[in-house]
Amino acid sequence: MATTADFRNGMCLDIDGTYYFIVEFLHVKPGKGPAFVRTKLKNVVTGRVLDKTWNSGVKVEEVRVERRPYQFLYKDEMGYNFMHPETFEQISIPGESIEGVQFLKEGDMVEAMVHAATETILTCEMPPNVVLEVTYTEPGVKGDTATNTLKPATVETGAEVRVPLFINTGEKIKVDTRDGSYIERVR
């Protein structure tokens, strides 16, 4: 059991049988009245974020979560198949549990959050950004670099990304996996 004084970002809590990650928290000590803690909690299953206020010193059920690296192998009807790089153990994870799955390509490493007691996968995180090759986009025209206009481009995983006009087919770009935005061209 933990108390509100033990709260930290990324901590996993069991609230009425549902798991939540703490996205952010703030200890508030008003001039009048008791202290309390304001939190933003993200539901592990649905991804919805909710606000919850706790009285200071309240005991909460902490869930022990381990972060484990896994390498993506292939996708089949069971889901996305991964392998642990040290133990060579293979697991299958459904696509709904992987954030940014549309940018996942063969050989990529991900971090899986595993419930330590039951050995079940709670969620899976991609790296913050990945380098992908543009497989199709309309050709750029010389002189189109001055404006901040974006065009659609299809990358090697099949996902569509909005890129600047000067990006052409065959170039490598860095993409943010959290929101699918273009970051920079990679040489």
Side-chain angles (χ1 to χ4, degrees), residues 2-3 5 14 16 56 63 68 84 101 116 118 135 147 149 161 173 177:
T3 65
D14 183 353
D16 299 328
S56 190
V63 177
R68 296 183 188 162
H84 193 280
V101 71
T118 61
T135 55
T147 61
T149 311
V161 180
I173 58 171
T177 58

Side-chain angles (χ1 to χ4, degrees), residues 42-60:
K42 182 177 180 182
N43 187 316
V44 171
V45 177
T46 64
R48 294 185 61 196
V49 177
L50 67 104
D51 296 321
K52 184 161 175 63
T53 304
W54 308 78
N55 290 330
S56 190
V58 170
K59 292 189 182 302
V60 292

Side-chain angles (χ1 to χ4, degrees), residues 15-44:
I15 302 169
D16 299 328
T18 308
Y19 298 140
Y20 293 91
F21 284 116
I22 296 177
V23 177
E24 63 182 55
F25 67 97
L26 177 67
H27 289 278
V28 180
K29 254 177 99 170
K32 193 175 192 180
F36 58 91
V37 180
R38 238 185 237 128
T39 59
K40 283 191 186 288
L41 303 171
K42 182 177 180 182
N43 187 316
V44 171

Side-chain angles (χ1 to χ4, degrees), residues 2 22 47 52 68 80 107 110 121 138 148 155-156 173 185:
I22 296 177
K52 184 161 175 63
R68 296 183 188 162
Y80 293 81
V110 297
I121 306 264
E138 295 295 324
N148 203 10
V155 293
E156 61 187 292
I173 58 171
R185 177 168 40 185

